[in-house]
Amino acid sequence: MGRKDTVRILLHMIKHRQITIKRILNTIRNCYAFYIKKDVAPKGYPIILMIEPTNICNLKCPLCPTGAGTLTRNKGFMSFDNFKKVVDEIGDYLFNITLYNFGEPFMNKDIYKMIEYAKNKRSFVRVSTNGHFFKEEDVERLVKSELDDLIVSIDGASQDTYVQYRKSGDFNLVIDNLKRIVKMKRELKRKLPYIEVQFIVMKHNEHEVSKIEELAKEIGVDKLTLKGVIVGEVDNLSDEEKAQYIPDNPEFRRYADTKNWINKEKVDIHYCTRVWLSTMIMTDGSVVPCCYDYNATYTFGNAFKEKFMDIWNNKKYQNFRRQIIEDKREFGMCKNCTGKLLNTALD
């Protein structure tokens, strides 16, 4: 996420009174715990919450654990009651509630209730979608929900290209749905949600970058983001298979090479604030360190069955934070991470 987006979001949060004294003081407590004391049992609550409405998806994207079938967790949908329990416990401290992970959020029948309830806590709420599930009546409810950010993933500018990665997808349906959302915003004279089209640049679609730029402008979305494809952590493909996705244009490559899959950006091995300031709750309530732990390898407890703060500072969480301080390379999912907190929820 660039500086311009950071400024946009901060100004938006100030305007909509999402930055409260309680949240500021809570952030100070946790920053003090990490930066000053290196305390593995922070007294404050997390300030960013990623929550997974479902780990089920209609598409079969080959680089996604859900789409590729490498997700070993039980499949399901989070109930609204369980969602409400978590948000009631920690919502007053959260600057950001992100409603997606490894599944299509709008396949959950309660997603609009979740968005609306999260907004009642005056948090910044964002959702990412593949854009297939918007009925006529849904579009108006979406715009009226006051959702802050809506990310729509469109990895192609034509059906032929799009379906090479978004397998089983319907490019024209997604574009039509996007147009209807933009139109509804104009009809209702609403600025929200801020609509971002996200285009993952791969070898097979990089020739359509200029075409997607034209299409995004024509539709009238707020932003188009071009992102390099992530393949380094995909376990079910060989290096040769991974390399087939890497774009020829070095501007869109995330990796310095295709042998060790080292991130081009600086990876600060001994630096990560995520487990002091953010958390991830899976569909079944499992609390894990962040979205990189897609199979819930490091589970600290269940937020549906326990009080969240009992989990936040239990021995498992403390031991994990202690190892992060000592050397986060102990955890395979951390070795290629840049350690940027905002990547958890805002990139």
Side-chain angles (χ1 to χ4, degrees):
M1 186 184 69
R3 183 177 299 176
K4 185 181 294 186
D5 269 332
T6 304
V7 172
R8 173 185 69 83
I9 291 171
L10 288 174
L11 291 176
H12 173 92
M13 294 175 74
I14 293 170
K15 178 181 178 180
H16 292 272
R17 297 183 299 162
Q18 294 169 347
I19 300 179
T20 65
I21 295 298
K22 180 182 284 190
R23 287 171 177 157
I24 292 172
L25 293 176
N26 179 67
T27 303
I28 291 172
R29 288 191 194 98
N30 282 2
C31 287
Y32 178 76
F34 176 77
Y35 289 104
I36 306 300
K37 294 189 66 179
K38 292 296 186 286
D39 186 355
V40 295
K43 304 302 183 290
Y45 293 76
I47 66 171
I48 292 175
L49 171 65
M50 289 194 74
I51 198 160
E52 183 182 69
T54 182
N55 56 3
I56 295 172
C57 188
N58 58 306
L59 303 184
K60 302 294 182 183
C61 305
L63 298 180
C64 171
T66 300
T70 59
L71 204 67
T72 58
R73 296 184 280 125
N74 291 332
K75 300 292 182 68
F77 297 92
M78 183 179 293
S79 72
F80 177 72
D81 287 341
N82 283 331
F83 173 83
K84 184 175 179 294
K85 175 191 180 297
V86 174
V87 174
D88 283 344
E89 283 189 61
I90 64 177
D92 289 341
Y93 301 92
L94 296 170
F95 283 105
N96 181 291
I97 299 176
T98 292
L99 295 173
Y100 62 89
N101 192 34
F102 289 103
E104 170 49 49
F106 287 93
M107 290 182 71
N108 188 314
K109 64 181 178 61
D110 291 322
I111 187 63
Y112 291 100
K113 289 172 65 177
M114 291 177 176
I115 292 170
E116 290 158 358
Y117 197 80
K119 286 306 304 175
N120 285 338
K121 295 294 182 180
R122 286 166 52 196
S123 289
F124 185 94
V125 181
R126 66 178 355 212
V127 181
S128 180
T129 176
N130 62 44
H132 283 75
F133 297 95
F134 293 105
K135 297 178 182 177
E136 195 67 45
E137 62 271 20
D138 294 333
V139 173
E140 183 173 355
R141 186 173 183 183
L142 177 71
V143 174
K144 288 183 175 179
S145 72
E146 297 186 353
L147 173 69
D148 297 283
D149 273 16
L150 178 71
I151 302 170
V152 183
S153 297
I154 309 177
D155 307 321
S158 64
Q159 173 66 15
D160 288 344
T161 302
Y162 175 81
V163 79
Q164 288 186 51
Y165 182 73
R166 298 282 169 177
K167 298 184 183 299
S168 302
D170 187 334
F171 172 78
N172 293 316
L173 174 62
V174 176
I175 294 300
D176 287 344
N177 285 339
L178 191 55
K179 288 178 177 177
R180 287 194 292 142
I181 296 170
V182 171
K183 182 182 177 183
M184 184 61 67
K185 280 180 60 177
R186 290 169 178 166
E187 289 178 355
L188 296 177
K189 298 180 180 180
R190 301 288 185 101
K191 293 185 177 181
L192 297 177
Y194 183 91
I195 301 173
E196 175 184 342
V197 168
Q198 182 172 281
F199 185 98
I200 299 177
V201 184
M202 294 171 270
K203 187 186 290 288
H204 71 270
N205 69 7
E206 62 182 316
H207 68 284
E208 291 191 339
V209 166
S210 60
K211 191 174 179 180
I212 196 68
E213 290 173 338
E214 293 173 6
L215 186 57
K217 186 176 180 180
E218 175 189 324
I219 295 171
V221 301
D222 297 293
K223 182 187 178 186
L224 169 67
T225 297
L226 304 174
K227 298 182 70 172
V229 64
I230 297 176
V231 298
E233 291 71 38
V234 179
D235 297 327
N236 62 314
L237 298 178
S238 66
D239 286 345
E240 291 76 16
E241 289 172 317
K242 294 176 184 179
Q244 293 177 7
Y245 289 94
I246 303 301
D248 293 325
N249 189 338
E251 178 185 351
F252 300 119
R253 293 182 186 175
R254 283 181 180 260
Y255 303 98
D257 63 64
T258 57
K259 293 181 179 179
N260 300 309
W261 302 107
I262 301 300
N263 202 313
K264 283 197 306 185
E265 292 188 55
K266 181 182 178 182
V267 177
D268 197 330
I269 297 299
H270 302 287
Y271 182 83
C272 185
T273 59
R274 291 187 182 192
V275 286
W276 275 262
L277 297 175
S278 69
T279 195
M280 173 80 227
I281 299 179
M282 300 298 200
T283 298
D284 65 354
S286 298
V287 179
V288 302
C290 71
C291 58
Y292 284 102
D293 189 9
Y294 61 84
N295 267 325
T297 303
Y298 306 99
T299 300
F300 307 124
N302 191 295
F304 302 158
K305 301 174 182 178
E306 307 166 67
K307 290 183 178 179
F308 178 81
M309 284 305 286
D310 290 343
I311 300 170
W312 183 239
N313 279 321
N314 65 21
K315 291 299 181 183
K316 285 185 178 180
Y317 229 136
Q318 289 184 42
N319 290 337
F320 190 90
R321 293 189 184 103
R322 188 172 291 111
Q323 184 58 54
I324 288 291
I325 291 174
E326 291 175 4
D327 188 347
K328 73 176 186 179
R329 287 173 295 185
E330 175 73 17
F331 308 110
M333 66 183 185
C334 300
K335 65 182 180 180
N336 208 26
C337 175
T338 61
K340 294 178 181 178
L341 173 68
L342 290 178
N343 283 356
T344 303
L346 299 179
D347 190 13

